[in-house]
Each structure stands twice: as C-alpha cells, then as structure tokens.
Amino acid sequence: MSRAKVVDGEYLNVRVARADAEALKELVDRGLFMNVSDAVRTAIRELVSKYKVLENEEEVTTDARQQ
C-alpha cells in the first residue's frame, strides 16, 4: 500500500469520468491506496517515470545512430 505524504505540493483540479472516479474508489475500498488522492499521486508518478524512461531510450538510440 502506498503511503506517500505530500509535504510541499500544488493543488490540481481535474474532472474525470464518473467511471474512472468509481474505479479509483474501488481501489481504495480494496485497500490498495489510502484514499483517492493517494491513488492519483501514484498514477502521476508512474506516468512521469514511464515517459522519462522512454526519453532516455530515445536518447540512447539517437546517440547510437550518431556514432
């Protein structure tokens, strides 16, 4: 279970589909996250991490082609 505490953060107001909100609440009810905010923060961190990895792979591929 994720237990990250945000000490210094920024509020983001987002509108999501009702089905997505219910799916997040279900994850909380199953004990996978402390609350919906925790689930959203985790999803954002994972998404950002995924794209950083993709950027790094592109840089490696570009460097290999230049050599």
Side-chain angles (χ1 to χ4, degrees):
M1 181 186 314
S2 177
R3 296 207 181 266
K5 181 169 179 154
V6 176
V7 177
D8 181 29
E10 185 170 328
Y11 285 98
L12 300 176
N13 295 313
V14 297
R15 182 176 288 270
V16 299
R18 182 166 296 158
D20 293 336
E22 292 301 321
L24 286 171
K25 290 175 189 173
E26 176 65 26
L27 295 175
V28 172
D29 291 343
R30 291 173 50 195
L32 297 171
F33 298 96
M34 292 174 25
N35 52 48
V36 172
S37 293
D38 182 37
V40 170
R41 283 190 297 270
T42 300
I44 290 169
R45 281 192 301 274
E46 289 179 5
L47 181 66
V48 169
S49 177
K50 173 185 170 182
Y51 280 94
K52 283 183 180 179
V53 168
L54 291 176
E55 286 177 357
N56 289 339
E57 288 176 359
E58 288 176 3
E59 289 174 8
V60 169
T61 303
T62 302
D63 289 346
R65 287 183 187 155
Q66 292 175 352
Q67 293 178 359

